[in-house]
Amino acid sequence: MAEFTVSLSRNSAEAVWGESAKLSFTESGAIIHLPDDKLNERLIQQAARKLDGLSLPAVTLSGDWHKEQQWAFALSFTRARKPASIKWAETADKEALEQEYSALLFTRQLVNETPEDLSPETLATRAAQWLKSLGGDKVTYSMTVGEDLKEQGWIGIYNVGRGSERPPAMLVLDYNPTGNADAPVDAVLVGKGITFDSGGYSIKSSEGMLDMKCDMGGAATVTGALGLSISQGSEKRIQLILCCAENLISGHAYKLGDVLTYKNGVTVEVVNTDAEGRLVLADGLMAATETGAPLIIDAATLTGAAVVALGSDYHGVFSLDDNAREQMLKAAKAENERFWPLPLEDFHAERCPSAFADTANSRPMKGGGGGGASNAAGFLSRFVKPEGWVHLDLAAAYHGGATSEMPVGATAKGIRSIARMLKDFSA
C-alpha cells in the first residue's frame, strides 16, 4: 500500500477545495495550508482531526516540519480506538519525537482502558512493567495490597478502596541509575490512581460517572513522564508512588462521618466520599516526604473546580514554594504545554473545618464550594513538606467528547513538562 503523506505549505489551496481552505488533497496524501510562518498548531490540530476521521491506518509526515508542529499533529491525529501509526519527518527531532510519542501512547492507552480490565493492582502492575521494560535493572519496585495497607498505616488508600472486591494497591517504584543503593532520591512523583470513581455513598450521577475510568489519569501521567525521562537517559534517582483504588459502594465501603487517622497524626472527617483523591494522595505524599527528595510532584484529576476555572485546556499548578512553582511553569512553557497557576496559601489548609477531626476532606456542599481546587491543595499541604512540592490538578487530562482539535479520551498532556521539570529542577 502506498504511503499517505501529509505536508505543510505556505501557499493557498486551489479554489476547488473551497474559499480559504486549510486542507487539500493530492494523489498521494494531503497538504495543510498555513497562512504565515508561525507554528499554527491549532490549525494543524484541526486538519489532523479531519484526517483522523478518514480512518487511515498510517501517515507519513513529509517536508519541512517544526518539532512542535509534528507534536501538535500527533496529539490530534491519535484517536482512542485503533490509532493510526505516524512516520515522523526526517528531521533532527525524530528520535526525541519517537520517545515522546511512545510515552504518549502508553499514557493514553492506560487512561482509556475499560475499568473492568484495569483493577488497582493491574494499574500498578502495568505501570511497573512498562517502566521496567525501559529501565531494566535500574528499576525496582514493591506493591502493598489490601489489608497490608491497613497494617502498614496507609489508611487513605485502604479506606477509599475497601468497598471494592478488588483490593487497593500502593506502588513504590525506584529508578536508580546511579548503581548506589544509598544515593539520595532526587525527585518523587505521586499519582492518583482511582481506576473507577462511583463517588461512593456521595454517589455521582450516571452522566458524571461515565468518564470516571479516567480518574487514574494522574497515575498514568506521572508514569508516562517517568518513562519519558528514562528514555531520555535521565541520570537522576527518581521514585514513583501510585495510590490505586476503586471507589465503590458496598457493605464494606467507607462512609460519611468516618474519621481517618493518618500516619502523621492528622485526623480527617469524611464529609464527602467523592472527595477521595486527596485521601489517597495524602498517603503518597507522606511516603514521598520520607525520602527527603528536594522535588515532589503529585498529579491528579482531582477537582471539578479546576475544570470550571481552566476548562479542558490547562492543567492547574499549585505550590507553597514560589521557586518550585515558577520552575514548573517554565518547564511547561519550554514544552509548549498549557499550565496555569492557581492560588494556594497556608490558610487554605484550614478551609475544610471539622468539629470532629483536625480537618474534613471537603466542605459539605456541592463541588466543595467556592475555591474547591485551592482547598483541595490546602488539604494535601498537611501531608507534605512545602519546599519543592508541586501539585498538579489535571483539568486537561481527558475529553469526554471529541472536539475540532482533540479526539475523545485521554490527552497525555503534561508528560513532557513533568519530564522537563525532572531534568531541569534546582532547589
Side-chain angles (χ1 to χ4, degrees):
M1 182 177 176
E3 289 185 338
F4 188 98
T5 63
V6 183
S7 59
L8 302 179
S9 174
R10 265 73 180 181
N11 298 322
S12 299
E14 294 183 15
V16 68
W17 297 107
E19 187 177 351
S20 302
K22 304 304 181 189
L23 185 64
S24 68
F25 292 86
T26 67
E27 288 185 2
S28 60
I31 301 171
I32 302 173
H33 298 272
L34 308 182
D36 50 45
D37 290 333
K38 296 178 182 177
L39 293 178
N40 289 288
E41 294 105 313
R42 288 184 70 247
L43 191 156
I44 291 171
Q45 288 185 278
Q46 291 165 3
R49 290 301 310 132
K50 292 175 182 177
L51 292 173
D52 195 29
L54 301 177
S55 298
L56 299 165
V59 297
T60 297
L61 305 184
S62 66
D64 184 18
W65 287 74
H66 187 281
K67 182 189 176 190
E68 291 307 312
Q69 291 173 324
Q70 294 188 73
W71 187 250
F73 183 92
L75 281 173
S76 301
F77 184 72
T78 306
R79 56 187 177 269
R81 189 166 177 265
K82 298 180 179 178
S85 63
I86 299 173
K87 186 176 179 181
W88 307 102
E90 294 297 332
T91 67
D93 302 309
K94 188 174 181 180
E95 183 180 357
L97 282 164
E98 287 173 348
Q99 293 170 347
E100 293 169 2
Y101 193 58
S102 177
L104 176 140
L105 285 176
F106 174 83
T107 303
R108 285 192 177 185
Q109 288 165 358
L110 201 60
V111 176
N112 289 334
E113 187 70 84
T114 171
E116 181 60 27
D117 293 337
L118 198 72
S119 69
E121 284 183 278
T122 304
L123 169 59
T125 300
R126 282 178 58 177
Q129 289 177 343
W130 181 64
L131 293 172
K132 184 78 172 173
S133 74
L134 296 173
D137 293 341
K138 299 173 184 176
V139 173
T140 56
Y141 63 90
S142 63
M143 281 173 53
T144 307
V145 181
E147 294 298 318
D148 288 343
L149 288 163
K150 183 180 181 182
E151 291 178 13
Q152 294 183 26
W154 304 119
I155 58 94
I157 301 172
Y158 172 77
N159 277 280
V160 170
R162 67 186 172 100
S164 172
E165 292 182 359
R166 304 195 290 186
M170 183 181 189
L171 172 71
V172 178
L173 181 142
D174 185 22
Y175 169 66
N176 186 3
T178 69
N180 177 10
D182 297 322
V185 177
D186 294 295
V188 184
L189 301 176
V190 181
K192 172 187 172 184
I194 303 298
T195 55
F196 186 76
D197 183 17
S198 71
Y201 281 105
S202 305
I203 193 167
K204 295 178 182 289
S205 66
S206 179
E207 309 83 59
M209 215 183 293
L210 178 60
D211 293 327
M212 282 302 103
K213 64 183 180 183
C214 82
D215 214 19
M216 38 62 67
T221 299
V222 290
T223 302
L226 178 53
L228 176 55
S229 187
I230 293 171
S231 298
Q232 292 170 339
S234 174
E235 297 180 357
K236 293 185 176 182
R237 184 177 187 181
I238 305 165
Q239 291 194 357
L240 174 75
I241 300 173
L242 301 187
C243 310
C244 308
E246 278 186 323
N247 187 20
L248 300 182
I249 294 172
S250 73
H252 194 53
Y254 81 129
K255 299 170 288 295
L256 293 118
D258 283 352
V259 174
L260 310 182
T261 302
Y262 280 84
K263 269 190 172 188
N264 64 353
V266 173
T267 56
V268 178
E269 181 190 6
V270 178
V271 302
N272 184 349
T273 59
D274 196 23
E276 84 298 330
R278 64 202 71 180
L279 295 177
V280 303
L281 284 175
D283 283 335
L285 289 171
M286 285 190 294
T289 299
E290 288 173 3
T291 69
L295 174 64
I296 296 172
I297 301 174
D298 78 79
T301 50
L302 199 63
T303 67
V307 179
V308 171
L310 300 172
S312 57
D313 299 304
Y314 289 82
H315 290 326
V317 180
F318 301 82
S319 185
L320 291 167
D321 181 338
D322 292 344
N323 174 53
R325 179 178 58 252
E326 292 309 310
Q327 288 194 57
M328 185 73 254
L329 293 169
K330 182 180 178 182
K333 188 173 183 179
E335 293 296 334
N336 207 29
E337 292 187 313
R338 293 186 176 100
F339 282 47
W340 198 261
L342 289 174
L344 177 60
E345 298 192 47
D346 291 336
F347 64 76
H348 282 109
E350 308 295 334
R351 285 291 171 88
C352 297
S354 167
F356 301 96
D358 296 326
T359 183
N361 72 323
S362 184
R363 302 182 74 176
M365 58 187 70
K366 184 175 176 61
S374 294
N375 295 342
F379 175 91
L380 295 177
S381 72
R382 292 173 173 268
F383 301 92
V384 63
K385 64 178 181 63
E387 298 81 17
W389 168 56
V390 176
H391 163 56
L392 302 177
D393 201 329
L394 304 180
Y398 189 89
H399 292 278
T403 70
S404 63
E405 295 171 15
M406 289 295 292
V408 66
T411 68
K413 290 179 178 178
I415 57 173
R416 297 200 306 169
S417 299
I418 297 171
R420 167 78 67 139
M421 181 70 161
L422 292 172
K423 178 173 178 254
D424 294 347
F425 177 76
S426 60

